[in-house]
């Protein structure tokens, strides 16, 4: 009988795991001896905070890689086909959302492996909840283009789509590019469009700001330069 692939949300930053993870999620992660991870270093750091039943050196941790081939994904799932339970862990937040874990989940379904999502922090849902924007119609775009004119074209398209159907538009950026992205949003989109910036979610330094772009204009964005943030925009 095949094992189960457990989708285990990672922490969004340095915070005690019991602050954001329910007992079942931590209990499953502590007992597993096989993990598929986005990157090994942050995964080991996460598992260490959970006080696993086995020493870290005795836990099998396999990396997905940025563009995994189907044969590699099949190898990653081999323990489950042999009857072992597996954990899938992203670098931060929920696996399968804006990371290559989705490819592993899809392959598990094709192989008849049971997939069990566990409860934990999602920056997408937390930011949307806190934004006050449309929680019934929204689109998560992941990362936008880094450079203009592609970035400006993407922002105009998101704003136009939001104006047309009322959907909230969610996206993220690498922390060191947050300042440039904020400046581009203010320069590109209309002053009445609303923007939520949700930074350091679940951490003691968490901040959530919602303003029209007219109100964002002229503000200093440097405080977001090195902080993980989720952006929610609605026209």
């Amino acid at each position: 009988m095949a094992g189960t692939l457990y989708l285990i949300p990672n922490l969004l930053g340095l915070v005690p795991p019991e602050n954001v993870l329910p007992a079942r999620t931590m209990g499953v992660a502590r007992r597993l001896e096989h993990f598929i991870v986005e990157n090994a270093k942050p995964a080991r750091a996460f598992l260490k905070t959970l006080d696993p039943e086995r020493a870290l050196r005795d836990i099998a941790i396999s990396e997905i890689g940025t563009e995994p081939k189907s044969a590699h994904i099949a190898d990653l799932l081999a323990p489950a086909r042999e009857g072992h339970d597996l954990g899938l862990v992203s670098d931060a937040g929920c696996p399968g959302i804006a990371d290559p874990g989705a490819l592993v989940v899809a392959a598990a379904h094709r192989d008849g492996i049971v997939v069990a999502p566990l409860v934990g922090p999602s920056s997408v849902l937390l930011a949307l909840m806190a934004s006050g924007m449309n929680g019934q119609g929204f689109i998560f775009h992941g990362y936008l283009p880094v450079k203009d004119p592609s970035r400006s074209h993407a922002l105009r398209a998101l704003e136009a789509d939001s104006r047309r159907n009322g959907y909230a538009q969610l996206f993220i950026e690498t922390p060191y590019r947050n300042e440039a992205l904020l400046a581009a949003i203010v320069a590109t989109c209309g002053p009445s469009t609303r923007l939520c910036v949700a930074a350091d979610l679940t951490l003691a330094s968490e901040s959530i700001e919602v303003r029209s772009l007219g109100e964002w204009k002229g503000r200093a964005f440097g405080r977001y330069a090195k902080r993980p943030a989720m952006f929610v925009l609605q026209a």
Side-chain angles (χ1 to χ4, degrees), residues 10 99 106 148 151 164 194 224-225:
N10 198 343
D99 77 24
D148 279 329
R151 180 171 57 192
R164 181 171 56 254
R194 289 180 296 154
Y224 295 112

Side-chain angles (χ1 to χ4, degrees), residues 5-211:
L5 177 66
Y6 288 98
L7 312 185
I8 301 171
N10 198 343
L11 309 177
L12 298 178
L14 297 176
V15 62
E18 59 270 17
N19 284 12
V20 295
L21 295 175
R24 179 171 182 253
T25 298
M26 291 191 292
V28 169
R30 284 170 177 151
R31 71 171 175 79
L32 294 177
E33 54 183 317
H34 296 274
F35 285 88
I36 301 170
V37 305
E38 188 174 2
N39 290 290
K41 185 175 180 180
R44 287 194 181 95
F46 168 55
L47 293 175
K48 186 176 181 180
T49 69
L50 298 178
D51 190 22
E53 295 177 2
R54 297 168 181 78
L56 284 176
R57 65 177 177 273
D58 297 327
I59 297 175
I61 297 175
S62 302
E63 290 187 338
I64 302 171
T66 54
E67 296 181 0
K69 304 295 185 184
S70 58
H72 178 53
I73 293 174
D75 289 343
L76 294 174
L77 289 169
R81 291 193 298 273
E82 295 165 1
H84 300 282
D85 290 340
L86 267 169
L88 177 63
V89 178
S90 175
D91 283 354
C94 295
I97 308 297
D99 77 24
L103 300 173
V104 176
V105 174
H109 285 301
R110 288 194 297 270
D111 288 352
I113 296 168
V114 174
V115 174
L118 299 182
V119 176
S122 163
S123 58
V124 175
L125 292 181
L126 291 170
L128 182 62
M129 289 163 58
S131 70
M133 299 184 196
N134 190 349
Q136 295 192 80
F138 59 92
I139 303 173
F140 174 55
H141 299 273
Y143 292 89
L144 300 186
V146 173
K147 296 181 179 180
D148 279 329
S150 297
R151 180 171 57 192
S152 295
H153 290 162
L155 288 169
R156 291 191 188 97
L158 298 189
E159 184 182 38
D161 186 59
S162 180
R163 187 174 291 113
R164 181 171 56 254
N165 58 34
Y167 284 8
Q169 311 284 330
L170 291 85
F171 45 94
I172 52 178
E173 183 52 281
T174 303
Y176 73 88
R177 294 194 185 110
N178 283 344
E179 192 172 0
L181 176 58
L182 274 164
I185 295 169
V186 170
T188 302
C189 299
S192 64
T193 292
R194 289 180 296 154
L195 177 70
C196 170
V197 182
D200 289 343
L201 287 163
T202 74
L203 309 186
S205 55
E206 176 182 279
S207 67
I208 298 163
E209 297 186 74
V210 182
R211 296 185 175 85

